[in-house]
Amino acid sequence: ETGVTQTPRHLVMGMTNKKSLKCEQHLGHNAMYWYKQSAKKPLELMFVYSLEERVENNSVPSRFSPECPNSSHLFLHLHTLQPEDSALYLCASSQDWVHYNEQFFGPGTRLTVL
Amino acid sequence: DAKTTQPNSMESNEEEPVHLPCNHSTISGTDYIHWYRQLPSQGPEYVIHGLTSNVNNRMASLAIAEDRKSSTLILHRATLRDAAVYYCILISSGDKLTFGTGTRLAVRP
């Protein structure tokens, strides 16, 4: 498989559940990103990892916990979410953390919190 | 932060050229102009970027005004698959990729 993949593509969870979103890139990139896209709002950058180190955390609530075990994999662990956290969660990667490098996005995980 | 202004929506006929404008009057000398697009039910994809000179690639052309305060993304022959939201974004080294609301392009058959 090539490019950036995300699983699951759709997820429905209750507010007390714990779930994880997975992202994998097969491009040999060193930087990976989590974005949130809510209905009728622009994409919001959540987290940036460069060489497996978190380099940016945009005031994201602690109920979202990222993990980057290696340069090819990125997880977003979810717990005690709120209905307003329902959104499309997008993962992206780029060659490095110089932001004018082209970013490659996955198809996203559509999350619904009941 | 330097910001961009784009029309909310545009329409085009299939097989015709499309010119998508972007105003960025507060652009700084180190800002690159990037364009991404997001097709329905997909993540965004990179289209093109430039600094001062016009740029061409297999997807589109980017025309940058001499004063760099505006730019235009040109799709030479729109197809139905080009229907998407197009984002114009200014980025300097070390900046975040900050998306606005973009221009929703509809292509009529």
Side-chain angles (χ1 to χ4, degrees):
Chain A
E1 208 165 349
T2 59
V4 180
T5 58
Q6 291 187 243
T7 53
R9 294 293 309 275
H10 300 271
L11 178 63
V12 179
M13 60 187 289
M15 288 190 286
T16 58
N17 292 156
K18 290 185 180 181
K19 296 287 184 183
S20 295
L21 310 184
K22 179 182 176 181
C23 175
E24 187 172 359
Q25 56 98 357
H26 308 269
L27 301 167
H29 289 168
N30 293 320
M32 296 187 76
Y33 312 79
W34 279 117
Y35 289 85
K36 175 184 178 182
Q37 188 172 32
S38 304
K40 299 183 180 180
K41 288 177 67 176
L43 273 82
E44 303 169 62
L45 179 64
M46 299 175 72
F47 301 104
V48 181
Y49 275 82
S50 177
L51 297 170
E52 300 140 52
E53 295 289 327
R54 191 190 309 181
V55 296
E56 189 146 342
N57 176 350
N58 273 359
S59 303
V60 179
S62 59
R63 56 186 184 269
F64 295 92
S65 174
E67 178 190 3
C68 187
N70 55 63
S71 60
S72 299
H73 293 86
L74 185 66
F75 294 89
L76 188 63
H77 304 299
L78 316 171
H79 64 97
T80 60
L81 294 193
Q82 304 298 313
E84 59 264 28
D85 297 321
S86 299
L88 181 68
Y89 288 85
L90 290 155
C91 173
S93 72
S94 64
Q95 186 58 53
D96 56 42
W97 190 47
V98 177
H99 286 275
Y100 47 79
N101 279 176
E102 175 184 352
Q103 289 190 21
F104 293 79
F105 285 80
T109 295
R110 175 71 61 187
L111 174 67
T112 302
V113 181
L114 301 177
Chain B
D1 293 344
K3 287 186 165 53
T4 63
T5 304
Q6 299 177 253
N8 287 334
S9 62
M10 291 184 63
E11 284 191 343
S12 171
N13 293 320
E14 196 175 13
E15 303 293 318
E16 291 185 356
V18 182
H19 290 234
L20 297 164
C22 182
N23 288 321
H24 28 78
S25 58
T26 58
I27 191 170
S28 73
T30 57
D31 284 330
Y32 282 76
I33 302 160
H34 284 238
W35 284 82
Y36 280 74
R37 71 179 186 180
Q38 188 170 17
L39 280 65
S41 302
Q42 294 188 30
E45 66 173 340
Y46 167 84
V47 178
I48 200 168
H49 80 277
L51 184 61
T52 56
S53 303
N54 295 344
V55 184
N56 299 295
N57 66 21
R58 63 175 179 82
M59 290 181 71
S61 295
L62 177 60
I64 301 173
E66 196 168 334
D67 64 5
R68 299 209 328 126
K69 293 185 177 182
S70 65
S71 60
T72 302
L73 180 70
I74 303 166
L75 307 179
H76 295 285
R77 287 180 63 201
T79 70
L80 297 178
R81 287 173 294 181
D82 291 322
V85 179
Y86 286 79
Y87 299 98
C88 170
I89 305 166
L90 301 184
I91 308 171
S92 284
S93 176
D95 274 353
K96 298 178 287 189
L97 189 63
T98 303
F99 288 80
T101 53
T103 296
R104 183 172 298 277
L105 175 67
V107 180
R108 292 183 291 255

